[in-house]
Amino acid sequence: MSQWPDGHLYAATVSFDFDAEEVWIGENPANANAPGVLSQGAYGPKVGVPLILDILEDAGIAASFYVCGKDALRHPESVRSIIEAGHEVAHHGHSHTSPTSLGPGEERAELEDGLRALRDLGADVVGYRSPSWEFTDDTLDLLTEHCLEYSSNLLDNIVPYLHSTHDLIEVPISWILDDAPHFWFANDTWEKTIRSTREVLDVWLPEIDGIARYGGHAMVTMHPMITGRPSRLAMLEEVIEHLKRTNAWIATTREVADYARANGPLELRRTARS
Ligand SMILES: [Zn+2]
């Protein structure tokens, strides 16, 4: 018996960390004055997002986009286009700064400024993914104080669950199903090479199949500036086709969190290898 809606074998979310220029400024504040470096991030809203939205529309699925407030202020039309296409927009910091490098007052200001920037564009924000996938001792308190409903930051499960200390659903992520560890390239080091889409599909599809086998939730995390490149857009289409072919419930993080809240605790159940 499936634990997911409509008899689906497992659940999957197609998610994007919008990132754009802020991720490069977060890497090194001096990049704020480096138009060449920033243009790598600008590719996301300028080229990647419209091409990704086309693919999602053709596939008939809704995705979740995690957006920094400052990126939303810089690219309001791009964020509006995501909202108007029916996708989820959620919080990814105001700047792309790890909460652990902020003081308590600063962390609150980042959360509130980011929320305001996204809500001013019409986003109904209920989720938070930290720019560094990391918390401080205050983060979960701040999220519940601001009536957020879920976090997507921890790597400790393959099913969503209710936090033991806070009224928040955790929808776990993983490095293995993130595009950045495989594709991220910055010319400050030439030691990390760029992987082919075939290599990454060889990593991703068996992991997705493994999660399916346990009836879990596959969180695929991408970045418009990375997966928005032409070869990887074809890979995105292939991943979505695979999710459909293997009977995934493809839902936004918000939908998955709502489902887990109403139907949890969800379990891992091993079924026969196909
Ligand atoms: Zn990010």
Side-chain angles (χ1 to χ4, degrees), residues 18-37:
F18 187 88
D19 282 1
E21 289 89 340
E22 282 304 311
V23 72
W24 295 99
I25 297 168
E27 292 276 308
N28 178 359
N31 285 339
N33 299 313
V37 172

Side-chain angles (χ1 to χ4, degrees), residues 76-153:
E77 288 312 316
S78 181
V79 176
R80 275 199 203 97
S81 72
I82 293 167
I83 298 168
E84 282 164 12
H87 303 291
E88 177 187 9
V89 166
H91 202 301
H92 192 48
H94 188 51
S95 62
H96 202 279
T97 309
S98 174
T100 58
S101 56
L102 298 168
E106 292 173 320
E107 186 178 6
R108 173 179 292 276
E110 276 270 321
L111 187 69
E112 293 178 354
D113 291 348
L115 272 177
R116 192 176 310 112
L118 297 178
R119 287 176 173 161
D120 283 352
L121 292 174
D124 182 15
V125 180
V126 299
Y128 174 74
R129 179 177 285 168
S130 144
S132 61
W133 294 359
E134 194 52 278
F135 295 151
T136 69
D137 290 344
D138 300 324
T139 305
L140 296 183
D141 288 341
L142 283 168
L143 298 184
T144 49
E145 182 192 325
H146 290 82
C147 299
L148 295 179
E149 296 170 12
Y150 78 82
S151 150
S152 182
N153 290 287

Side-chain angles (χ1 to χ4, degrees), residues 34 53 70 88 107 184 190:
L53 291 181
K70 286 186 178 178
E88 177 187 9
E107 186 178 6
W184 175 274
W190 290 85

Side-chain angles (χ1 to χ4, degrees), residues 95-253:
S95 62
H96 202 279
T97 309
S98 174
T100 58
S101 56
L102 298 168
E106 292 173 320
E107 186 178 6
R108 173 179 292 276
E110 276 270 321
L111 187 69
E112 293 178 354
D113 291 348
L115 272 177
R116 192 176 310 112
L118 297 178
R119 287 176 173 161
D120 283 352
L121 292 174
D124 182 15
V125 180
V126 299
Y128 174 74
R129 179 177 285 168
S130 144
S132 61
W133 294 359
E134 194 52 278
F135 295 151
T136 69
D137 290 344
D138 300 324
T139 305
L140 296 183
D141 288 341
L142 283 168
L143 298 184
T144 49
E145 182 192 325
H146 290 82
C147 299
L148 295 179
E149 296 170 12
Y150 78 82
S151 150
S152 182
N153 290 287
L154 300 182
L155 300 89
D156 58 352
N157 214 326
I158 54 169
V159 281
Y161 61 88
L162 184 65
H163 274 264
S164 59
T165 54
H166 291 77
D167 185 25
L168 279 168
I169 296 286
E170 183 66 36
V171 187
I173 47 178
S174 68
W175 285 116
I176 188 170
L177 291 179
D178 186 308
D179 61 359
H182 308 291
F183 291 132
W184 175 274
F185 179 80
N187 64 354
D188 52 0
T189 170
W190 290 85
E191 288 168 14
K192 187 177 182 303
T193 57
I194 297 172
R195 316 314 298 179
S196 73
T197 54
R198 182 46 57 194
E199 286 172 283
V200 179
L201 283 167
D202 280 348
V203 175
W204 279 14
L205 300 187
E207 176 69 6
I208 289 169
D209 290 344
I211 290 169
R213 191 181 165 213
Y214 284 91
H217 170 251
M219 172 63 81
V220 183
T221 303
M222 294 164 284
H223 301 74
M225 68 180 178
I226 296 175
T227 287
R229 302 301 307 189
S231 60
R232 300 171 188 153
L233 289 166
M235 172 180 157
L236 171 62
E237 291 182 89
E238 195 167 337
V239 169
I240 293 170
E241 285 162 14
H242 188 83
L243 295 174
K244 288 183 170 180
R245 197 165 48 237
T246 54
N247 194 18
W249 178 49
I250 305 174
T252 63
T253 320

